[in-house]
Amino acid sequence: MSSFKIASLLFRTLSKPVANALKQQAKSHDIFRSLCINVAQLAHRTEMNWKMKVLGYKKEKIRPLNDARAVDAGANFLGEAFIFSVAVSLILAEQ
């Protein structure tokens, strides 16, 4: 049991540099860059729609993020999603 916990801690620790590498790759590879831009634009539109709905504003046209911010936001989202998926898979494997 304790060896599994140590192994899961190791995997979580190793997943953070992998997530950082994903973020760096997003800036240099065109296909991954476009994926990050699409993910960030979708997340931005969803967030803004929810904010306008919750705060009671009328629906307006949402301006897209510029490419530099979209790449950073998308890469950050995908890196955090990778860390989250590693943690969830370790929790499920423990049961």
Side-chain angles (χ1 to χ4, degrees):
M1 183 70 167
S2 64
S3 62
F4 183 80
K5 297 230 183 236
I6 291 171
S8 67
L9 179 63
L10 176 70
F11 282 125
R12 284 187 213 163
T13 304
L14 292 177
S15 69
K16 290 177 186 176
V18 172
N20 289 334
L22 286 173
K23 292 176 190 178
Q24 292 299 322
Q25 293 291 325
K27 296 177 182 171
S28 60
H29 288 71
D30 290 335
I31 295 172
F32 193 51
R33 178 175 155 69
S34 66
L35 173 70
C36 288
I37 289 173
N38 290 337
V39 167
Q41 296 295 359
L42 177 65
H44 175 66
R45 282 192 306 272
T46 304
E47 178 186 4
M48 293 306 292
N49 281 330
W50 275 101
K51 280 183 181 179
M52 285 191 288
K53 187 178 282 189
V54 168
L55 296 174
Y57 293 123
K58 64 179 181 175
K59 192 166 185 170
E60 298 178 13
K61 185 176 185 232
I62 299 170
R63 291 183 297 155
L65 298 170
N66 63 25
D67 283 351
R69 288 186 69 190
V71 168
D72 287 339
N76 191 30
F77 182 84
L78 291 174
E80 294 297 325
F82 177 75
I83 292 172
F84 181 75
S85 65
V86 168
V88 167
S89 64
L90 289 172
I91 290 170
L92 292 176
E94 185 177 357
Q95 294 179 351

